[in-house]
Amino acid sequence: MAPFPLIKLGSLAIKQISKPIGTYVKNQAKNHPSFRRFCAGFAQGYHTFEQRLARVFYDQRSMRNIQVAPLSEERAINLGSEMLAEGIIFGIAGLALALEYRRSGEKENQKEQKLQSTLERLQAQIDQLQSENDRLFKEVMPKHEHTREEIPEWEKEPSFVSRMASWVWGSSSDSSTTARAS
């Protein structure tokens, strides 16, 4: 139970840390010349694509024939740095979500393996007890042939517990349907 709050707190911390990273990216885009050019170029491309797409939907023209006025340098830098910062924040949040999904999947697999090992252990105990029972029966009644009684039809139908177990472990219910049909 203790790991659950730690995981949640960790993901919250990652999200909170990603916001200052986004702010740092914005400041670097405004101050660093090559990063500035990258953000401006990215924003100009995005702006051109967005305007052409909007005009194609509204005017039903071809995208090649549309002329788009470029953004001012300051607006392009702001838009590019904002998109890059949001992309970083979104990427970090997506990574945290993917890690949480993976962790929950591993937890479910461990739970399933534990149930499977318990079932195998119980089956081994049943087999051991049956063999011990057969041995004791031969000692007590050596002249009688020991055969197991035929299981009545009503007992062949799977019980509620076995149906629930097959649902939990994902086994097909073909055996239960064939037992009922016969």
Side-chain angles (χ1 to χ4, degrees), residues 7 26 35 37 41 76 82 98 106 110 114 121 139 156 166:
I7 297 290
K26 288 181 194 177
F35 200 52
R37 283 192 303 272
E82 184 73 29
E106 289 174 356
Q110 289 173 351
K114 184 178 177 183
R121 184 175 42 83
E139 283 180 16
K156 287 184 180 180
S166 67

Side-chain angles (χ1 to χ4, degrees), residues 17-40 42 77-89 92:
I17 290 171
S18 67
K19 290 179 183 178
I21 291 172
T23 305
Y24 176 77
V25 167
K26 288 181 194 177
N27 291 336
Q28 285 296 325
K30 293 177 183 175
N31 299 331
H32 198 271
S34 60
F35 200 52
R36 219 177 138 105
R37 283 192 303 272
F38 171 76
C39 286
F42 181 70
I77 292 169
N78 284 339
L79 179 63
S81 64
E82 184 73 29
M83 289 178 62
L84 191 58
E86 290 295 322
I88 289 171
I89 292 170
I92 291 173

Side-chain angles (χ1 to χ4, degrees), residues 16-73:
Q16 292 299 322
I17 290 171
S18 67
K19 290 179 183 178
I21 291 172
T23 305
Y24 176 77
V25 167
K26 288 181 194 177
N27 291 336
Q28 285 296 325
K30 293 177 183 175
N31 299 331
H32 198 271
S34 60
F35 200 52
R36 219 177 138 105
R37 283 192 303 272
F38 171 76
C39 286
F42 181 70
Q44 290 291 356
Y46 171 76
H47 173 69
T48 302
F49 177 75
E50 179 186 37
Q51 292 298 314
R52 285 182 177 177
L53 193 62
R55 289 183 186 169
V56 164
F57 281 128
Y58 291 126
D59 298 336
Q60 303 296 326
R61 296 183 190 168
S62 169
M63 282 186 82
R64 293 183 184 190
N65 299 334
I66 299 172
Q67 296 297 323
V68 177
L71 292 171
S72 68
E73 185 178 355

Side-chain angles (χ1 to χ4, degrees), residues 53-165:
L53 193 62
R55 289 183 186 169
V56 164
F57 281 128
Y58 291 126
D59 298 336
Q60 303 296 326
R61 296 183 190 168
S62 169
M63 282 186 82
R64 293 183 184 190
N65 299 334
I66 299 172
Q67 296 297 323
V68 177
L71 292 171
S72 68
E73 185 178 355
E74 193 61 34
R75 282 187 66 191
I77 292 169
N78 284 339
L79 179 63
S81 64
E82 184 73 29
M83 289 178 62
L84 191 58
E86 290 295 322
I88 289 171
I89 292 170
F90 182 73
I92 291 173
L95 179 64
L97 181 67
L99 291 174
E100 178 68 21
Y101 179 75
R102 181 177 173 206
R103 185 193 66 81
S104 69
E106 289 174 356
K107 184 178 177 183
E108 190 65 32
N109 285 341
Q110 289 173 351
K111 189 178 184 182
E112 185 175 327
Q113 287 175 352
K114 184 178 177 183
L115 286 173
Q116 186 64 29
S117 67
T118 302
L119 179 66
E120 290 171 359
R121 184 175 42 83
L122 289 173
Q123 187 62 44
Q125 286 177 350
I126 289 171
D127 293 342
Q128 179 186 6
L129 289 172
Q130 283 179 342
S131 65
E132 182 68 18
N133 186 30
D134 291 345
R135 186 186 63 78
L136 289 173
F137 187 80
K138 285 179 184 178
E139 283 180 16
V140 172
M141 304 182 100
K143 295 183 179 181
H144 288 82
E145 184 179 325
H146 176 64
T147 57
R148 298 197 185 277
E149 294 180 16
E150 183 66 31
I151 300 173
E153 283 296 319
W154 63 271
E155 288 184 8
K156 287 184 180 180
E157 186 172 319
S159 67
F160 174 75
V161 173
S162 64
R163 282 183 274 161
M164 289 304 294

